[in-house]
Amino acid sequence: MAWGGQLRCGAAGCRLVTVEHEKSTVVLYEVQGRQARLLDRQPVAYHPDGAIWLTDDLVVAAVEGSFSLDVFRVVQGRLQLIRQIPVGLSPRDVVLVQASEGRFRLLATPYSGKEVAWVEYVPDQPEATRVQRAKWCEAPWHPVRVQRAPGVPGGGVVAACLDEKRVVFVPEDNLLGAARTLLTVPVDAQIVPRQTRPSPSGRWLYVALETGGRNLRFNMDSGELQWIAAPLLGTVSVLPLTDDLVIWAADSRLYLQRLGADGTVLETRWLPVDGFATGLQLVDADADGVQDLVVYNSAALPKKMGVEIIYGPLWEQAQPQMP
């Protein structure tokens, strides 16, 4: 059950870090072409929920049981724990918000609860690590950076509040300040915002709704809200490929939708996956110039993959929806 992770590709090739949620381990793979090789697996406390790269050799994992961000250095293909940063909450997600001259600003958001943790981390000066908490909303899952928002001169960070039916925003010029409501899902209590992601241009913010048979997108210039018809009852994650071409994930399926200017669905196509596709990442994993999709299945089917790579082109190989 790979609740999260990240594939990083650079001059030295591609490496995947992920977490095995139920086995309480952080795992490192090398990906060459269309083959993957296990490099290392290291135990952590109960229930790691996600992992990201800071640099080509630094990894951070969010670990529920230890209330911490665990920092690993990759040395000769092995994961070495170099720092455990207490954050005072059980982190569900960790994201890198800013990086400059060897300093990293991380955001850890909780599995449940209203507080988030901002972490200033300097690997060469571990004593300079600072953790500051702020109150956002109940269960602010899957935060992400955005380029802009209505009425704001710059970008910031947004998160879907799983248990409050809203999406919150903090501006990049005041990240430690209070979160404000960017949008409220104006429907009955059965609708749950699960994840939100911006389109490549930053114009649209797409919101995956876990129940209700609809999703939505929000215009980050005008504040317009558009409902998008869904062929399934709910989705758990979302990833826009362009402003008007988006991937939604559900249990054992991805569906791709091409949309009109008013949010009308022009065409829907399908791709199968091996489980509950909680995380989606777009990257050229085999260096052929075409974007591929990394899928992190938080509840993989028996004898199926917790992490899988669907090699592009994605829209062209997806199966059209039958009338």
Side-chain angles (χ1 to χ4, degrees), residues 29-303:
Y29 290 91
E30 181 179 65
V31 178
Q32 292 186 326
R34 299 194 174 188
Q35 301 293 323
R37 179 171 67 95
L38 174 65
L39 295 180
D40 195 21
R41 178 182 279 115
Q42 291 295 323
V44 292
Y46 177 78
H47 279 182
D49 285 356
I52 60 171
W53 293 92
L54 298 185
T55 66
D56 286 343
D57 66 348
L58 279 179
V59 166
V60 177
V63 185
E64 280 186 54
S66 54
F67 289 73
S68 68
L69 301 181
D70 292 5
V71 184
F72 295 85
R73 188 178 299 279
V74 179
V75 180
Q76 297 181 342
R78 304 278 295 184
L79 292 164
Q80 295 184 1
L81 181 65
I82 62 171
R83 178 78 170 167
Q84 189 172 69
I85 305 172
V87 293
L89 53 86
S90 292
R92 169 63 182 90
D93 296 286
V94 57
V95 296
L96 175 61
V97 176
Q98 295 172 339
S100 177
E101 299 179 349
R103 304 179 70 92
F104 303 95
R105 173 170 282 181
L106 306 172
L107 172 63
T109 58
Y111 185 86
S112 62
K114 295 185 176 183
E115 284 196 324
V116 305
W118 289 100
V119 179
E120 300 287 341
Y121 177 56
V122 185
D124 294 336
Q125 304 174 41
E127 70 281 357
T129 298
R130 291 191 305 154
V131 178
Q132 295 175 280
R133 296 210 294 271
K135 186 173 290 186
W136 276 18
C137 61
E138 184 61 40
W141 277 27
H142 308 309
V144 66
R145 291 189 65 185
V146 293
Q147 300 173 40
R148 58 190 191 265
V152 177
V157 178
V158 300
C161 302
L162 193 71
D163 296 327
E164 289 190 11
K165 316 297 184 294
R166 62 190 178 113
V167 174
V168 297
F169 168 82
V170 292
E172 61 186 4
D173 60 358
N174 188 24
L175 291 174
L176 298 177
R180 68 177 176 88
T181 298
L182 184 65
L183 67 95
T184 299
V185 181
V187 288
D188 62 65
Q190 300 303 313
I191 301 295
V192 177
R194 170 86 176 213
Q195 188 181 96
T196 183
R197 290 292 182 264
S199 65
S201 75
R203 178 188 179 194
W204 292 106
L205 186 71
Y206 283 85
V207 183
L209 300 179
E210 191 170 358
T211 55
R214 291 186 294 174
N215 295 300
L216 60 85
R217 66 178 181 178
F218 179 78
N219 191 306
M220 296 293 267
D221 294 320
S222 67
E224 177 192 6
L225 193 68
Q226 293 183 350
W227 289 101
I228 300 171
L232 300 175
L233 291 179
T235 54
V236 297
S237 60
V238 59
L239 183 64
L241 300 178
T242 69
D243 274 356
D244 299 309
L245 179 59
V246 60
I247 301 174
W248 308 97
D251 190 10
S252 307
R253 292 186 181 187
L254 306 177
Y255 62 93
L256 292 72
Q257 290 184 325
R258 192 179 298 279
L259 306 175
D262 61 353
T264 301
V265 177
L266 304 178
E267 187 177 357
T268 299
R269 296 188 176 190
W270 298 88
L271 286 169
V273 290
D274 279 349
F276 208 62
T278 294
L280 303 173
Q281 180 191 358
L282 203 61
V283 61
D284 185 3
D286 56 357
D288 66 351
V290 178
Q291 294 282 66
D292 310 307
L293 184 69
V294 187
V295 181
Y296 301 88
N297 293 308
S298 63
L301 298 173
K303 299 182 180 179

